[in-house]
Amino acid sequence: MMSIRTRLTIWYSAILVLGFLLFGAGVYFTVSLTLIRQVDASLDQSASSIVDQIKIIMNGGERVIRLPQFDVFRASSVYVEALDNKGNIRGKSTNVGDFNEQLDPAKITELSTKSAVEQKPVYNNVQHLGAPPLRVYTYPLVVNDTGELFGYLQVAASLEDIELTKHGLLLTLLVIGALVLMISSAAGAAMARRALRPMTEITNAALEIYRTDDLDRRVDVFTNDEVGRLASAFNEMLDRLTRLFRAQQRFVADVSHEMRTPLTVIRGNVDLLRMGCADEESLDAITSESERMTRMVSNMLLLSQADSGALPMHLQPLDLAPLIANIVRSGHIMADGRVEVNSVVSGEAIIQGDSDRLKQVLLNLVDNAIKHTPDGGKVIINAASPDGHNVVISVTDTGIGIPPQDLAHVFERFYRVDKSRSRAQGGAGLGLAIAKSFVEAHGGQIDVQSTMGEGTAFIVTLPAYRPYLV
């Protein structure tokens, strides 16, 4: 299969050769036309000089035509013949020699079929046997006062020098064209090799990554053109693949770690059942750990659906005030009087959303806030539309806060700030990741702000419902 470099070289050379052929053809025909026009100008000048010296006199009542000496008006390479209106030769220059034929018989025959008024001077190329090609100018001789045709003047010049010049020019163009083809092919191959070098490196890097599983390798970017941007895009793709691959590794490791504890508990209690030593507490432990595994699998399924874009959503205009009131009632039950849960809804807060998904998001945020707020603390849900384009919902607590080094990771899957406490409370570190996926599925975003010892605020921003845009 022909390589891209070879195809580029062929196309580059073909276009350059085509351009040179067009240029050479233009030069060749321009030079040929210029030389012919110079010959025509010389012939016209010679013919005009001769015609100006022709005398018509009356002798005994008859018109007599006197021709001048032709050699006076011509160069050595110009041939002259004077013919009567029948085509008979009445005079010629000495350099014509013993040549007793018309210089251009075809034009004499053509003009003789026309009236005196219709006859005009004409140029023609003529080739006589054994002689060089001639450029012949046939000039009808007409009496001015009567319009009577009394003969023809034929002035000719050899085209041998012009033909030699044209042949030399053609040979020169062919030689130069061959050199241009060779140089352009070599230059095109070198340019194609240099232009495609980053692509070769990209290919080699991809093969090396495939063979060694080394996702840390990158391609050097040499230029800022299309190939350079391709190399940059390839590096960005590798960065994303590296993050996804490592995230997948962490995910598998975290799932394995999370599954190991409940499976160990279940297996231990099953062994007790087999030995007949199990009690009601063992059965409760098996049930509890099974439910925790079920919740974990269900949450992972939700995250998988959100990642693939297959998460079922039932979007409709949704007033957040009743939804938040319902969340507050559920928060009172979860807090059991230990933490105060309140809400503030300012103005109209309507979005296009799925009530079940948003309820799950807010319940998760409120549940986390209650768990990490000491007794006597507060959890407040605020909702407002400050600019009319977005609705901002914040869940703020007066809890222990999140360390600054953990803020950037709280939405990662299986990440827990207080790992031992979260596991004891049944958390697997998936709640905030699910909340982030649900919010983004609504076209919004979720952020976190926290100060150690003062509290934490999770801020959800969603597009406001605007009926005229639906």
Side-chain angles (χ1 to χ4, degrees):
M1 184 174 62
M2 187 180 298
S3 65
I4 295 179
R5 187 177 67 186
T6 302
R7 290 200 297 269
L8 285 175
T9 302
I10 292 175
W11 277 106
Y12 175 81
S13 300
I15 293 173
L16 191 60
V17 169
L18 178 61
F20 183 80
L21 287 176
L22 294 175
F23 170 77
V27 170
Y28 181 82
F29 288 111
T30 300
V31 170
S32 300
L33 184 60
T34 300
L35 292 175
I36 290 296
R37 285 181 175 176
Q38 289 177 350
V39 172
D40 289 348
S42 175
L43 294 177
D44 181 70
Q45 183 180 5
S46 297
S48 298
S49 299
I50 295 172
V51 170
D52 290 343
Q53 298 299 318
I54 294 177
K55 304 293 184 181
I56 301 177
I57 61 175
M58 300 300 294
N59 185 11
E62 293 184 1
R63 183 179 289 119
V64 178
I65 300 173
R66 287 186 179 178
L67 300 176
Q69 293 294 322
F70 295 141
D71 294 336
V72 176
F73 305 98
R74 64 165 184 82
S76 60
S77 58
V78 176
Y79 308 98
V80 181
E81 283 187 350
L83 302 93
D84 59 22
N85 56 9
K86 303 296 185 182
N88 300 314
I89 298 175
R90 296 301 184 182
K92 61 183 178 180
S93 59
T94 56
N95 60 356
V96 175
D98 296 332
F99 185 77
N100 294 317
E101 299 180 14
Q102 298 171 355
L103 292 175
D104 188 359
K107 289 302 176 184
I108 295 295
T109 303
E110 179 183 335
L111 291 174
S112 64
T113 61
K114 299 179 180 180
S115 64
V117 178
E118 296 175 333
Q119 298 197 21
K120 304 293 181 182
V122 62
Y123 294 95
N124 190 30
N125 291 342
V126 179
Q127 177 71 60
H128 290 283
L129 184 63
L134 298 175
R135 181 72 169 173
V136 180
Y137 181 53
T138 302
Y139 189 93
L141 300 174
V142 179
V143 179
N144 291 333
D145 54 352
T146 63
E148 178 186 355
L149 176 69
F150 63 85
Y152 301 96
L153 182 67
Q154 288 192 326
V155 185
S158 175
L159 296 177
E160 185 174 10
D161 292 340
I162 293 179
E163 293 297 324
L164 290 175
T165 301
K166 290 166 60 178
H167 290 159
L169 176 62
L170 181 61
L171 180 61
T172 301
L173 291 174
L174 291 176
V175 172
I176 294 176
L179 292 175
V180 168
L181 177 60
M182 290 187 291
I183 294 173
S184 65
S185 298
M191 292 174 62
R193 186 183 304 109
R194 182 174 181 179
L196 295 176
R197 183 177 63 178
M199 296 184 66
T200 302
E201 295 191 1
I202 292 174
T203 302
N204 293 336
L207 292 175
E208 190 68 21
I209 292 170
Y210 170 74
R211 296 188 183 107
T212 63
D213 292 331
D214 181 14
L215 291 177
D216 292 325
R217 178 167 178 174
R218 297 295 180 268
V219 178
D220 294 331
V221 180
F222 296 99
T223 61
N224 194 31
D225 55 11
E226 289 81 357
V227 179
R229 289 195 291 274
L230 174 63
S232 299
F234 183 77
N235 288 337
E236 292 176 5
M237 180 190 69
L238 286 179
D239 291 338
R240 180 170 176 80
L241 287 176
T242 301
R243 291 194 298 269
L244 292 175
F245 181 71
R246 289 174 179 170
Q248 183 186 41
Q249 288 179 320
R250 289 197 304 270
F251 182 77
V252 172
D254 290 338
V255 170
S256 301
H257 179 75
E258 293 294 334
M259 290 291 188
R260 183 174 58 187
T261 300
L263 287 174
T264 301
V265 173
I266 292 174
R267 182 174 179 179
N269 285 282
V270 168
D271 290 341
L272 290 176
L273 286 173
R274 287 178 175 174
M275 292 184 296
C277 301
D279 53 14
E280 191 69 24
E281 184 178 350
S282 298
L283 295 175
D284 291 341
I286 293 175
T287 302
S288 175
E289 295 300 329
S290 298
E291 290 175 350
R292 188 153 78 94
M293 289 177 61
T294 300
R295 288 195 301 272
M296 188 185 307
V297 172
S298 177
N299 288 336
M300 287 191 295
L301 178 61
L302 283 175
L303 286 172
S304 176
Q305 290 176 327
D307 290 342
S308 64
L311 183 68
M313 301 283 289
H314 303 287
L315 301 178
Q316 58 185 355
L318 178 63
D319 188 351
L320 291 177
L323 177 65
I324 292 176
N326 189 298
I327 298 295
V328 170
R329 286 193 294 271
S330 299
H332 290 156
I333 297 173
M334 290 185 289
D336 195 21
R338 186 178 64 83
V339 174
E340 182 181 345
V341 181
N342 293 311
S343 66
V344 177
V345 179
S346 303
E348 189 177 64
I350 302 177
I351 65 168
Q352 183 85 358
D354 186 318
S355 60
D356 291 337
R357 302 300 182 194
L358 290 176
K359 182 177 180 180
Q360 187 173 352
V361 170
L362 295 178
L363 277 176
N364 184 280
L365 296 179
V366 171
D367 183 46
N368 281 342
I370 292 173
K371 288 177 180 178
H372 296 88
T373 300
D375 292 353
K378 295 181 179 180
V379 175
I380 301 176
I381 306 174
N382 285 287
S385 179
D387 57 4
H389 298 285
N390 296 290
V391 174
V392 180
I393 310 168
S394 63
V395 178
T396 307
D397 62 54
T398 57
I400 59 177
I402 301 174
Q405 66 271 18
D406 292 318
L407 283 176
H409 305 286
V410 294
F411 296 107
E412 294 179 4
R413 299 169 188 184
F414 295 105
Y415 189 86
R416 288 176 297 223
V417 177
D418 186 352
K419 299 176 175 58
S420 60
R421 182 181 179 188
S422 296
R423 184 177 292 111
Q425 294 172 340
L430 293 175
L432 290 178
I434 292 174
K436 184 175 186 292
S437 296
F438 286 178
V439 171
E440 290 178 348
H442 281 79
Q445 62 181 25
I446 183 170
D447 299 302
V448 60
Q449 299 174 358
S450 184
T451 302
M452 292 298 296
E454 296 183 7
T456 302
F458 283 90
I459 303 169
V460 177
T461 304
L462 298 169
Y465 174 65
R466 288 183 285 176
Y468 54 85
L469 295 180
V470 177

